[in-house]
Amino acid sequence: QITGNIQAVQDAIIQKDQRLSKAMVHSGSLHVTMLVMHLSTKEEISIAVGALSDSKDFVEDLLKGKTVDLSFQGIDHFKNEVGFVKLAENDHTAILTEIAETMKKIFQEKGISAGEERAFKPHLTFMKLSKSTQLRKQVKKIDSSLYEDFKSRYFGDEILHRLDLCSMLKKKQPNGYYYCESSIVFGEKHAAEPDDAELVSLSKRLVENAVLKAVQQYLEETQNKTRQTDGSPVKTEEAASGSKHESDNDSS
């Protein structure tokens, strides 16, 4: 929903100014930046991977099992050079800010300076002039009237699910997303541990199957008895193989 709405905005802007097609961010690259850091060696990358891994426990402790529901609404810009979708400010964005601050400390404790240049302002960039040096020569400012109709548009909600350590310089993935050094995922369930709802659903299915099987058996027996009293021939072998087949189906 979010990417679809962003593509609608991008298309509308390009219709008004074709040159800005070079400024658009590919939908596969859409992200919210938590921290920016400079990692110049493999060793520094390895330290950062460790810091990201360490931050998982701290972040989960901060969340206490709650989800962070990010609501994307409205459009704003930085110096008329970057267009972005805003995050609606609420308790959830406050938690996101707290996560960013916690992670910054963890990275700094490992000797990696991160996110010090500016205050944390979560946003979803969908166009920027810096994507093309040629474009920068032609267009100095993005006219805000180009996206006037979308300024207060609701774009959609997204649950915070994953944090990635991405490279801005390495070749992007085939889907357009950044090269990813490492990730941490929140709220994941282990396949071997079904939740309560799954167990209830499974129990219901087992009971329903048992009831259906009993009803089928009863009907078959009744029909057989009726045929025998009518003097109709009963093909017991076929009937038996039929019920065996059904029984096999129930097992699978």
Side-chain angles (χ1 to χ4, degrees), residues 15-17 20-21 63-64 71 73-74 76 82 98 106 118 136 138 171-172 179 193-194 202 208 213 236 244-246:
Q15 272 187 334
K16 292 174 185 174
D17 190 339
L20 289 173
S21 61
L63 295 176
K64 294 180 177 67
S71 187
Q73 183 157 10
D76 206 349
V82 175
E98 213 173 329
I106 292 166
R118 57 179 84 98
R136 295 288 302 246
Q138 299 171 14
K171 190 181 176 184
K172 286 185 175 180
Y179 177 88
E193 298 172 11
L202 181 63
E208 283 164 4
K213 199 172 170 184
T236 49
K244 183 180 183 300
H245 182 65
E246 281 157 15

Side-chain angles (χ1 to χ4, degrees), residues 120-135:
F120 177 63
K121 186 175 180 178
H123 59 279
L124 191 57
T125 300
F126 66 88
M127 68 172 169
K128 51 185 176 182
L129 292 180
S130 60
K131 275 185 74 65
S132 167
T133 46
Q134 214 177 351
L135 182 65

Side-chain angles (χ1 to χ4, degrees), residues 11 43 46 61 84 97 102 125 163 182 196 202 204 243 246:
D11 291 345
E43 189 188 359
S46 178
D61 194 43
F84 63 88
T97 304
T102 303
T125 300
L163 291 170
S182 179
D196 291 350
L202 181 63
K204 278 183 180 173
S243 62
E246 281 157 15

